[in-house]
Amino acid sequence: MATGTNKDTKGTDGAALGYEQARDELIEVVRRLEAGGATLEDSLALWERGEELAKVCRLRLEGARARLDAALAADADGEDGTGDGE
């Protein structure tokens, strides 16, 4: 796999990355693809890694959104009952 060239991820499974780490690596992957000059095989490996990193970012953001929604719902339920329409 052609992921060993990036800082300290050294082929790390995307699921083990935090949002910021995955985002930063994704930015680097896009930069390398846009720069060109890579072989077809390396470009495909970078693309696949980019897809994996984009998925990690999306899942992390969805998880954060769910936590925020849950916190807001709990806050609304706990306040004077004004946010409780049921």
Side-chain angles (χ1 to χ4, degrees):
M1 292 187 193
T3 58
T5 58
N6 204 346
K7 295 189 274 187
D8 50 291
T9 55
K10 53 186 169 192
T12 304
D13 178 25
L17 298 175
Y19 171 77
E20 291 83 3
Q21 194 176 9
R23 181 201 60 210
D24 291 347
E25 186 179 344
L26 179 57
I27 290 168
E28 181 60 28
V29 165
V30 170
R31 187 174 295 131
R32 290 177 60 195
L33 284 169
E34 288 178 342
T39 65
L40 178 59
E41 190 63 33
D42 287 344
S43 294
L44 287 172
L46 284 167
W47 181 272
E48 290 169 349
R49 182 63 175 166
E51 289 289 332
E52 180 182 352
L53 293 164
K55 181 179 178 181
V56 169
C57 289
R58 185 180 67 249
L59 292 174
R60 297 283 186 204
L61 288 172
E62 288 172 358
R65 182 176 295 130
R67 288 177 59 195
L68 180 58
D69 289 345
L72 290 172
D75 188 44
D77 289 343
E79 282 185 19
D80 305 341
T82 57
D84 194 8
E86 296 177 349

